[in-house]
């Protein structure tokens, strides 16, 4: 990993875990001093994070942690539902036992991370599980788009899980989804996946609005 990539990875995690809040300024000079490097690697890291939608750069003002309005968060979940159900439809007929074993392993890792409160692993493992059941679809561009969406919303998903402790619901739905994939029940699997994603988005937006109302 190059120095800019290492700085980007560190800043990404700090944004995702809420250390830097939406709208907060990111000062190149201060971060360069903190990471004991020149401003160039920090500037390159900013470019990476801006491409991922995690920060925005304003002319003559600098870089800020991106803030997503609730209605746009819901839009991202709706995009996820549209793309992921399409990928699942294409993947199901070609899923092999090997694909299902990978999905099972990812699900076990995710369940363990929930139980051990390993917050930093939730988002990545959740996406790895979902991605594993789409693997046979060979929808490269769709996967790339949804991966980008997941990066943008991961910080909010972590917050939602911490606020609501909805691990058991997520676990049960993931387990049911995997069983439907094993059974090649396309109609039921697609309906469950769509409901799983849309309900998660609605619950997240409600949580954020409630949190904002208490401030």
């Amino acid at each position: 990993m190059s120095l800019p990539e290492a700085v980007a990875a560190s800043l990404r995690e700090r944004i995702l875990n809420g250390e830097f809040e939406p709208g907060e300024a990111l000062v190149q000079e201060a971060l360069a001093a903190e990471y004991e490097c020149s401003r160039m690697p920090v500037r390159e890291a900013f470019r990476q994070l801006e491409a991922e939608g995690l920060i925005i750069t304003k002319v003559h003002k600098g870089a800020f942690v991106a803030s997503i309005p609730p209605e746009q968060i819901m839009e991202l979940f709706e995009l996820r539902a549209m793309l992921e159900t399409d990928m699942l439809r294409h993947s199901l007929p070609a899923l092999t036992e090997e694909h299902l074993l990978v999905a099972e392993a990812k699900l076990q890792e995710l369940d363990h991370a929930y139980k051990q409160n390993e917050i930093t692993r939730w988002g990545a493992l959740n996406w790895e599980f979902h991605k594993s059941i789409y693997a046979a679809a060979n929808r490269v561009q769709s996967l790339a788009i949804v991966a980008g969406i997941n990066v943008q919303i991961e910080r909010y998903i972590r917050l939602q899980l911490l606020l609501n402790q909805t691990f058991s619901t997520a676990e049960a739905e993931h387990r049911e989804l995997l069983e439907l994939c094993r059974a090649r029940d396309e109609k039921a699997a697609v309906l469950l996946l769509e409901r799983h994603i849309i309900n998660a988005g609605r619950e997240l937006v409600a949580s954020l609005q409630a949190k904002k109302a208490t401030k």
Side-chain angles (χ1 to χ4, degrees):
M1 186 182 291
S2 67
L3 183 55
E5 288 172 338
V7 173
S10 175
L11 289 174
R12 183 184 300 108
E13 182 55 37
R14 293 170 74 180
I15 291 170
L16 293 177
N17 69 23
E19 182 178 339
F20 296 121
E21 296 189 353
E24 184 173 346
L26 299 173
V27 182
Q28 277 190 32
E29 294 80 359
L31 290 169
E34 182 178 345
Y35 287 109
E36 299 181 342
C37 65
S38 69
R39 285 185 293 175
M40 184 63 73
V42 177
R43 192 176 302 121
E44 289 298 321
F46 281 2
R47 289 195 183 100
Q48 290 184 43
L49 297 175
E50 186 167 26
E52 294 172 9
L54 290 178
I55 70 172
I56 58 172
T57 302
K58 299 180 181 179
V59 179
H60 305 309
K61 292 184 178 181
F64 299 82
V65 178
S67 178
I68 308 176
E71 63 273 13
Q72 291 183 21
I73 292 176
M74 196 62 227
E75 181 183 356
L76 290 173
F77 275 87
E78 289 166 354
L79 283 170
R80 272 193 61 199
M82 181 174 63
L83 290 169
E84 292 187 41
T85 53
D86 178 71
M87 286 191 288
L88 185 60
R89 287 190 187 96
H90 283 84
S91 182
L92 270 176
L95 275 178
T96 65
E97 187 59 30
E98 183 178 354
H99 288 127
L100 293 169
L101 288 173
V102 170
E104 177 68 44
K106 294 299 180 183
L107 186 54
Q108 290 180 5
E109 285 187 72
L110 178 57
D111 290 349
H112 178 78
Y114 284 149
K115 291 179 173 63
Q116 297 301 313
N117 207 35
E118 295 174 346
I119 300 169
T120 60
R121 302 183 69 208
W122 290 346
L125 285 172
N126 181 73
W127 171 233
E128 287 296 321
F129 167 70
H130 277 260
K131 186 169 68 171
S132 68
I133 61 174
Y134 313 143
N138 196 28
R139 307 286 278 186
V140 176
Q141 297 302 323
S142 294
L143 273 174
I145 293 169
V146 177
I149 292 173
N150 273 274
V151 170
Q152 291 187 62
I153 62 177
E154 181 179 341
R155 56 184 152 155
Y156 299 105
I157 292 175
R158 290 187 191 185
L159 176 61
Q160 178 196 18
L161 287 169
L162 285 170
L163 288 172
N164 298 342
Q165 296 291 304
T166 53
F167 311 121
S168 58
T169 300
E171 285 178 310
E173 290 180 348
H174 284 148
R175 178 62 58 187
E176 184 181 356
L177 181 59
L178 181 56
E179 293 307 313
L180 290 171
C181 288
R182 279 201 177 98
R184 304 299 196 279
D185 189 338
E186 179 184 313
K187 183 177 179 180
V190 167
L191 285 173
L192 174 59
L193 177 61
E194 182 177 38
R195 186 176 75 242
H196 172 72
I197 294 171
I198 294 298
N199 285 348
R202 288 171 177 163
E203 290 168 6
L204 173 55
V205 169
S207 296
L208 292 173
Q209 290 173 335
K211 186 173 183 288
K212 184 177 179 179
T214 60
K215 288 185 176 181

